[in-house]
Amino acid sequence: MTDPNNLDHGGLPPSMDISLWRTLDAAANRASEGLRVIEDFVRYGQNDSFLTTELKSLRHQLDSTLQRFDRSQAIQSRDTFGDVGTTVQGKLEQSRADWSDLLTANFKRLQQALRSLEEHAKLIDAEVAASFERARYLTYSLEKMVMTTVAASGAFPEVSIYVLTDGRADGPSFDTFVAKLVEAEVDVIQLRDKNLDDRTLLARAEALRKRTAGTATKMILNDRTDLAKVSGADGVHVGQEELTVSQARSVLGVGKLVGVSTHSIEQARQAVRDGADYIGIGPTFPSGTKTFDAFPGVKLLREVAKEITLPGFAIGGIDVSNVTEVAEAGIRRVAVSGCVTKADDPGAVVRELRKSLTLDSPNS
Ligand SMILES: Cc1ncc(COP(=O)(O)OP(=O)(O)O)c(N)n1
Ligand SMILES: Cc1nc(C(=O)O)sc1CCOP(=O)(O)O
Ligand SMILES: [Mg+2]
């Protein structure tokens, strides 16, 4: 399609030329406008530089495909006043119930426009049509990333305390301990026990479900998507070598949370692409709960804080003595184990952590 005046239109009558250009022009405008609305929301509304970059790269791909049309030909064919569609407008187009409605409407606009570009381009150039098709598929992934990120940001408070606990010495002491955490309004409790047999672990999970049901505290199971499903947990946490986000989600069903451990900025970006609901970021400091060879530390926290708005929980050796360093790196959600599970007064530690994360930090 290098010479727009000499196109093979598949034997279209000449009168079709102008209508084809009008269609392509209108669809190209619709696609670009829909994409801009989404990009503006993510950029200015969410301050999410990673998603902004992903959307920008789709815009560039779209622009380079559109450049293969002669825009002057398209503009010449434009007849806004003669467009019968400009006066046919549904009432619903003038109002949006919320951000989700706004984003959905603009993703749909973008996808429909790309489909129209693709189908009409097939009359002219199969390669260009295929490029529009690729762009449309990209929008499906972007829609998932954007919608999940924005919804997840609302699912976890801006300052959040997430506690990982094992099954404790026995059922009653586990129950007493988690009751204290719920009373202290911990945001998330993760059951993480690598030693209990399945039935005992399930019994602890069921006890945790009872304690957290009807409260603001979410219940997550570590590693065990199967037991998360059976116990009715709010979600599961998976590591880099475990089930993928989509595999865990296909077991748990929709409406459940899937969190992923990340140890580098690329893993954090991938978790967003995969549609995770939150990420663990660490290890931040040496931990008494788990041993590590390498520590991405506060440097990784800073990197994530700078570009990703999907909720991220700093993890690894965090306690009241160093939590301010986490806040200073721009992260106000922490996942802790030892400093709470070994404390005489777990509620007091939770309150201290929350206080430090709530105070204004100089670099955030
Ligand atoms: C919130 C949170 N972040 C990270 C982890 C670690 O998960 P993983 O890397 O799979 O290691 P194990 O916990 O399974 O040893 C976590 N559990 N929770
Ligand atoms: C289980 C786990 N995963 C980590 C990671 O970085 O992925 S750090 C960690 C241990 C968290 O316990 P504590 O607060 O006692 O150090
Ligand atoms: Mg794991």
Side-chain angles (χ1 to χ4, degrees):
M1 206 174 23
T2 42
D3 179 1
N5 298 314
N6 187 22
L7 293 171
D8 173 8
H9 288 195
L12 288 177
S15 60
M16 276 296 285
D17 268 11
I18 193 90
S19 56
L20 186 57
W21 281 118
R22 274 184 78 190
T23 309
L24 291 169
D25 178 46
N29 290 340
R30 249 184 290 139
S32 304
E33 289 160 13
L35 188 52
R36 263 299 174 185
V37 174
I38 300 161
E39 204 180 311
D40 282 352
F41 179 89
V42 162
R43 180 173 172 185
Y44 302 113
Q46 292 293 111
N47 280 319
D48 191 310
S49 79
F50 174 63
L51 289 177
T52 304
T53 307
E54 296 282 290
L55 285 159
K56 210 179 256 178
S57 96
L58 170 64
R59 181 154 52 80
H60 290 158
Q61 188 202 316
L62 191 56
D63 283 348
S64 72
T65 309
L66 288 171
Q67 265 163 24
R68 298 179 66 179
F69 291 120
D70 182 335
R71 293 292 279 170
S72 65
Q73 185 108 353
I75 288 168
Q76 266 176 26
S77 72
R78 195 174 291 169
D79 180 12
T80 309
F81 294 113
D83 179 356
V84 291
T86 54
T87 50
V88 185
Q89 192 171 49
K91 257 192 190 162
L92 285 176
E93 281 189 39
Q94 297 299 1
S95 68
R96 302 280 178 229
D98 52 24
W99 62 263
S100 162
D101 192 20
L102 174 99
L103 287 174
T104 303
N106 281 284
F107 269 113
K108 290 287 155 280
R109 181 182 176 80
L110 171 61
Q111 286 151 2
Q112 285 165 3
L114 287 171
R115 170 67 89 167
S116 184
L117 283 166
E118 175 189 335
E119 293 299 324
H120 288 92
K122 281 179 189 171
L123 294 168
I124 307 171
D125 186 319
E127 200 197 307
V128 173
S131 178
F132 287 130
E133 184 184 33
R134 283 193 295 278
R136 185 165 54 80
Y137 281 119
L138 259 180
T139 69
Y140 298 132
S141 307
L142 282 165
E143 183 174 14
K144 173 171 145 177
M145 283 159 60
V146 171
M147 300 305 275
T148 308
T149 297
V150 181
S153 305
F156 299 97
E158 280 180 22
V159 170
S160 290
I161 313 289
Y162 182 137
V163 176
L164 289 76
T165 177
D166 64 9
R168 312 289 283 191
D170 51 38
S173 36
F174 178 76
D175 195 45
T176 308
F177 178 65
V178 296
K180 281 184 194 159
L181 298 184
V182 172
E183 197 190 321
E185 298 180 357
V186 162
D187 299 281
V188 186
I189 301 176
Q190 180 189 120
L191 175 56
R192 175 184 180 273
D193 197 311
K194 308 253 180 188
N195 299 314
L196 291 178
D197 63 73
D198 282 11
R199 288 190 190 177
T200 312
L201 187 56
L202 179 58
R204 297 288 195 281
E206 286 168 346
L208 181 54
R209 180 67 296 176
K210 272 198 191 135
R211 280 287 168 195
T212 51
T215 74
T217 304
K218 294 179 173 54
M219 166 199 174
I220 298 283
L221 233 77
N222 188 47
D223 297 343
R224 300 295 301 269
T225 309
D226 54 343
L227 299 188
K229 170 97 178 164
V230 176
S231 63
D234 295 309
V236 70
H237 186 92
V238 292
Q240 289 289 323
E241 272 86 45
E242 293 150 23
L243 290 188
T244 63
V245 174
S246 73
Q247 287 163 344
R249 227 182 258 300
S250 73
V251 174
L252 281 184
V254 289
K256 297 290 181 178
L257 300 167
V258 180
V260 185
S261 304
T262 64
H263 314 293
S264 67
I265 187 67
E266 195 37 59
Q267 287 178 357
R269 290 175 186 145
Q270 192 55 45
V272 178
R273 291 190 193 103
D274 291 343
D277 295 296
Y278 74 86
I279 53 175
I281 322 158
T284 309
F285 306 113
S287 159
T289 304
K290 187 170 172 176
T291 49
F292 296 94
D293 296 331
F295 293 88
V298 289
K299 180 174 175 280
L300 176 59
L301 300 184
R302 262 189 242 109
E303 286 172 343
V304 172
K306 210 171 130 197
E307 66 171 272
I308 287 173
T309 62
L310 185 75
F313 291 83
I315 185 167
I318 296 165
D319 58 29
V320 291
S321 75
N322 58 25
V323 69
T324 311
E325 287 181 58
V326 172
E328 282 172 359
I331 299 284
R332 291 171 183 272
R333 296 181 176 109
V334 293
V336 295
S337 187
C339 74
V340 171
T341 57
K342 295 192 175 85
D344 292 335
D345 185 348
V349 175
V350 169
R351 284 189 291 279
E352 274 298 308
L353 290 170
R354 198 184 288 287
K355 198 167 132 197
S356 300
L357 291 167
T358 306
L359 292 175
D360 275 346
S361 63
N363 298 330
S364 63

